Amino acid sequence: EYFCRFCTATQAQIQTHDVGDEFCLRTKASHDCVVEAVVQGCSQSQFGVQGDCVLRQSLQYFHMVTGFPPDVLYDLFEGIVPVELALCFEAMINCKYFTLEYLNRKTVSFPYQHTDKVDRPQPIPKTFAVKRMIGGNGHENTMLLRLLPLMTGKNVPEGDGAWAVLMDLKEVVELVLAPVFTEESIQYLQSKIRDHKQVLQEVFPDYKLRPKHHYLEHYPELIRRFGPLVHLWTMRFEGKHRFFKRVVHDTQNFKNVLKTVATRYQHMVAYHLSAPLVFKPHQQISNVSSMMTSVLPEKIAKQYIEQNTDSNIIYSTSAVVIDGTDYDVGMFVSVGQEGGLPQFSKIEQILLVNNNVVFLCREHKSWYIEHLRCYELVPGNLAVHTISELNDNPPISAYNLEGRLLLTPKRFILVK
C-alpha cells in the first residue's frame, strides 16, 4: 500500500491528491521512529517499512531518506513515456488522425541527422494497445516523443486532448533533462508536472495513475536536494554494462561467464593504460585544411581573425569533438536570446584560431510554435561564436519539412 520512499502516500491517494496536499514527507526523525518500532516488534510493517536499511548499518553517514535519489531513466524513459505514448497513440488512431502504418512509415523514413541517427525509434508493434506499451528502449522512446511533432503534428488538430498530454509530457522531459536549474525553472517544472497530471486525468478519466507519476511530482523538491537529476541517473551504468553484454554475445562462451567478462575487461583496461594518454584530450580534430583569411565569406569573420592572430593562414575542419561533445558543420547551437526565448545559429564553418575552436555561424530568428512545442527558424546574417557564448553545449539538428525549418530541443535551455 505504501510504495513511495519520499512520502507516506498510498495507491488510492495519488489518484486524487497532489504531493504537498496531505502526504507526510518522510524525514530522518520520522523514519528512524518507524524503523525502531518495527525492529522492536511492535508491528511487521509501518508505512511500508519492514526493517532497517543494510547500507545504514555499514555506512556511518548514509540515511535512507536522503541517500536514494530517483532515476530519470527508470521513471520517465522506461516508465511514463512509453505508457503514455501508447495511451495517446491509441486515442489519436481511433480519432483517425493517422494510422499505425502511417506512424511507422514516418518513424522509418524520417530524415534523421547527425546524433539523432543513433537512437532512431523502432516501429511500433500492432499489439501496443493491448500491452499498453510501445516497446523500444528509453532513448528510442524519448527520441520518438521529441520528434513526434515534426512527424505527425500537422495531422492532429489544435486543442486535441491526447496531443496536449504528449506535448506537456515532452516539456516535462526537456525540463527534467536540464543540466542546470534556477529556482524559477524548478517552479516552472513543478507547474508543468501539475498541468500534465491534470490534463491526463481530464482526457483519460478511467486511467489509473502509476506510482511513477507520483514519483515525478517529487522531482522539484528532489532537484533542490540532490541537484539536476540527469547527473544521477543510471544511464552511465547502462553504458558500462553494454561492454559486458557485448562480450558475452560475441564470445558465445557460457562456461564461467564471470571469469570471461572479468578477463576481457582487464584486457581492455590494460590496453587503455598502455596508450600515451589515458584520458581523451580536450579537443579532438581530424581532416584539417588550411585557408587564407582573405577567402572568408564575411567582413565580421575577417575582423575577428585579424584581432586574434597575425597570421594570414587559418585552419578549418568539418567536425570537432570538445569534451566529448561532437560539433559538425550543419548542426545548430543556441546562442543569445530574444524576448526570453533562445536563439539558434547554424554552424557554417569550424575554424581553428590560435588552437581555439571558433564557429562561423548563420544566425537564425526563432519563433516558438505552441502546437508543435518546437521552434521555426528563419536565416539571417553570419556571425562568429565561441564555445563560451553558447547557452547550451550540445548542438541540435534542425529539419526542413515542407518549406519550414523546424528545431525541437533535446532539453530545456537556460538562456544567458
Side-chain angles (χ1 to χ4, degrees):
E1 184 181 8
Y2 297 97
F3 62 90
C4 182
R5 63 177 179 270
F6 308 116
C7 72
T8 57
T10 64
Q11 290 274 10
Q13 288 174 328
I14 67 171
Q15 308 299 324
T16 55
H17 294 82
D18 297 329
V19 168
D21 287 350
E22 62 177 35
F23 303 141
C24 294
L25 296 178
R26 298 181 192 267
T27 64
K28 289 184 178 180
S30 65
H31 181 75
D32 290 344
C33 291
V34 171
V35 170
E36 184 178 357
V38 173
V39 171
Q40 290 179 354
C42 298
S43 64
Q44 291 184 342
S45 174
Q46 283 191 16
F47 299 110
V49 178
Q50 299 180 351
D52 199 2
C53 179
V54 175
L55 293 176
R56 190 183 173 197
Q57 298 171 5
S58 305
L59 302 175
Q60 180 181 357
Y61 297 103
F62 178 85
H63 197 281
M64 196 283 299
V65 173
T66 58
F68 287 120
D71 181 17
V72 175
L73 173 65
Y74 179 73
D75 292 343
L76 273 175
F77 291 5
E78 296 179 352
I80 296 175
V81 170
V83 169
E84 291 194 11
L85 281 172
L87 186 68
C88 295
F89 282 163
E90 182 182 11
M92 289 187 284
I93 290 174
N94 290 337
C95 290
K96 301 187 184 305
Y97 298 147
F98 50 79
T99 63
L100 179 61
E101 291 74 18
Y102 174 86
L103 179 60
N104 282 335
R105 283 200 305 272
K106 281 293 185 180
T107 58
V108 172
S109 62
F110 190 80
Y112 302 97
Q113 299 178 17
H114 305 290
T115 55
D116 290 348
K117 295 178 181 179
V118 178
D119 299 310
R120 59 174 64 200
Q122 299 296 320
I124 300 170
K126 294 181 179 180
T127 58
F128 82 94
V130 177
K131 294 182 177 179
R132 296 291 183 183
M133 291 283 285
I134 64 168
N137 62 39
H139 272 305
E140 294 168 352
N141 295 336
T142 307
M143 180 68 69
L144 177 58
L145 177 64
R146 173 176 158 248
L147 297 180
L148 184 67
L150 309 186
M151 296 177 183
T152 63
K154 65 178 183 179
N155 300 81
V156 183
E158 294 189 19
D160 179 74
W163 183 258
V165 170
L166 289 184
M167 293 302 100
D168 281 349
L169 178 61
K170 179 178 182 293
E171 286 190 277
V172 169
V173 170
E174 291 173 2
L175 280 160
V176 170
L177 291 180
V180 179
F181 280 91
T182 62
E183 181 58 32
E184 290 76 14
S185 62
I186 292 177
Q187 293 178 6
Y188 182 55
L189 170 61
Q190 188 169 6
S191 67
K192 295 307 298 184
I193 292 173
R194 188 179 296 112
D195 292 344
H196 171 256
K197 178 181 177 181
Q198 180 179 349
V199 173
L200 177 64
Q201 291 183 313
E202 289 176 356
V203 177
F204 302 101
D206 297 329
Y207 178 73
K208 185 178 180 181
L209 294 177
R210 300 192 173 194
K212 293 176 184 178
H213 288 94
H214 174 75
Y215 299 153
L216 185 61
E217 294 184 62
H218 283 288
Y219 274 22
E221 184 56 39
L222 294 173
I223 290 172
R224 293 187 180 98
R225 181 187 303 174
F226 295 107
L229 300 178
V230 71
H231 299 320
L232 304 172
W233 65 356
T234 58
M235 187 65 73
R236 297 287 15 104
F237 298 98
E238 293 287 347
K240 190 71 173 179
H241 187 223
R242 183 181 301 177
F243 168 82
F244 299 101
K245 291 192 293 185
R246 190 168 64 245
V247 167
V248 175
H249 178 270
D250 293 346
T251 59
Q252 290 294 302
N253 179 8
F254 301 101
K255 293 183 179 179
N256 203 345
V257 173
L258 297 181
K259 181 179 180 181
T260 300
V261 296
T263 302
R264 295 299 178 91
Y265 180 73
Q266 290 301 313
H267 289 168
M268 183 191 71
V269 172
Y271 168 77
H272 288 300
L273 290 176
S274 64
L277 292 175
V278 177
F279 300 103
K280 294 180 179 179
H282 166 64
Q283 293 179 180
Q284 296 175 270
I285 304 169
S286 58
N287 299 325
V288 176
S289 59
S290 61
M291 60 186 299
M292 301 293 293
T293 56
S294 58
V295 303
L296 289 172
E298 285 282 330
K299 178 188 285 189
I300 186 172
K302 296 177 184 178
Q303 291 177 346
Y304 179 88
I305 301 302
E306 292 172 355
Q307 292 173 359
N308 288 273
T309 182
D310 297 329
S311 175
N312 293 325
I313 300 176
I314 61 172
Y315 299 92
S316 68
T317 182
S318 60
V320 62
V321 181
I322 302 178
D323 292 332
T325 301
D326 295 323
Y327 297 88
D328 295 341
V329 169
M331 302 186 80
F332 282 75
V333 290
S334 176
V335 184
Q337 59 93 18
E338 186 172 323
L341 293 177
Q343 298 297 298
F344 300 92
S345 298
K346 181 181 180 181
I347 301 176
E348 299 283 350
Q349 284 183 289
I350 302 176
L351 307 177
L352 304 177
V353 182
N354 292 336
N355 293 325
N356 294 320
V357 174
V358 175
F359 299 123
L360 179 61
C361 299
R362 175 75 63 182
E363 294 185 328
H364 285 67
K365 289 284 187 181
S366 64
W367 285 268
Y368 191 68
I369 305 175
E370 185 72 19
H371 178 61
L372 301 180
R373 301 299 199 277
C374 70
Y375 296 90
E376 183 174 359
L377 307 180
V378 177
N381 300 322
L382 284 173
V384 175
H385 297 296
T386 60
I387 289 291
S388 61
E389 298 176 43
L390 305 185
N391 292 324
D392 195 26
N393 286 338
I396 317 168
S397 299
Y399 296 92
N400 201 330
L401 304 172
E402 298 182 355
R404 304 169 72 189
L405 186 61
L406 302 177
L407 180 148
T408 174
K410 297 179 179 179
R411 60 194 192 187
F412 180 75
I413 299 174
L414 272 177
V415 295
K416 295 183 178 179

